[in-house]
Amino acid sequence: TANMGPMLHMIEAMDRCSGDLLVRGHGDDVQRPERTRRTVQVFRETGASLISSNAQRIDIHGQPIDLILEPGPSGPVPLAEVAKSRWTWHMLGATFSWSKRMLDVFGWFDPALLGSGGDHVLPLRAAMLGGFHYVSDVLLDWRVHDGQVTRRLTGQPPDPRVFANLH
């Protein structure tokens, strides 16, 4: 089979899902055992359309590097904050889980316009619908390596500038 790219692959995979909450996992990241349970708990308690979490950055061999965010409060990320901000680490797509309803309301991205990313668009859509909620618990080990899309686009470690095309 041909390489579809990240966006078309995600669209095809998510179109096959039937649950109320879609918990996405990237192939080279490590989902913590409590990720799905904790995400479902927050979804049920808040009704948020999108839930993100803190993550532990790990190297190609799985060795810890650092957290993407210092521990802090969990809670809703208001629409006004999402709308006025550039991309932030709260918007790391690798940590996203979202309601199927969000896709029913907004549909998918046009891959010709947004071939990868969406890390700012999904939180904005979620904040307009049922809410965008951040969980400060580390629920994911996010692998960083030279073959990563963010590094290929910026030529350096992952950096918010890679998402400038979304603004």
Side-chain angles (χ1 to χ4, degrees):
T1 57
N3 184 340
M4 299 167 59
M7 189 60 68
L8 286 175
H9 178 261
M10 184 177 65
I11 291 170
E12 182 174 310
M14 295 300 169
D15 281 345
R16 294 179 185 204
C17 295
S18 60
D20 293 334
L21 182 68
L22 307 169
V23 181
R24 181 177 72 177
H26 294 163
D28 58 351
D29 297 334
V30 179
Q31 313 302 310
R32 297 267 175 114
E34 65 277 11
R35 180 177 184 218
T36 299
R37 180 196 56 76
R38 181 75 172 106
T39 302
V40 169
Q41 175 189 12
V42 170
F43 178 68
R44 288 181 176 157
E45 289 173 357
T46 68
S49 295
L50 184 124
I51 299 156
S52 72
S53 73
N54 203 350
Q56 169 75 55
R57 212 179 337 233
I58 60 174
D59 68 18
I60 193 75
H61 306 291
Q63 296 302 306
I65 300 171
D66 59 7
L67 297 179
I68 63 168
L69 289 166
E70 290 299 317
S74 296
V77 182
L79 173 59
E81 185 177 326
V82 176
K84 75 177 181 182
S85 70
R86 290 186 136 327
W87 183 89
T88 70
W89 285 109
H90 298 89
M91 300 175 189
L92 178 63
T95 69
F96 287 175
S97 298
W98 59 85
S99 71
K100 183 79 170 190
R101 182 171 177 265
M102 193 165 70
L103 300 177
D104 295 339
V105 170
F106 292 104
W108 282 107
F109 306 116
D110 180 343
L113 300 175
L114 187 65
S116 66
D119 288 9
H120 193 273
V121 177
L122 286 171
L124 183 62
R125 288 177 173 184
M128 289 188 295
L129 188 61
F132 169 32
H133 195 92
Y134 170 73
V135 176
S136 68
D137 301 344
V138 176
L139 301 179
L140 174 84
D141 292 334
W142 182 49
R143 193 174 312 272
V144 293
H145 53 83
D146 290 336
Q148 206 168 6
V149 171
T150 51
R151 287 195 181 206
R152 286 198 313 268
L153 292 174
T154 64
Q156 58 191 355
D159 184 299
R161 289 177 287 173
V162 73
F163 302 100
N165 66 320
L166 299 176
H167 301 291

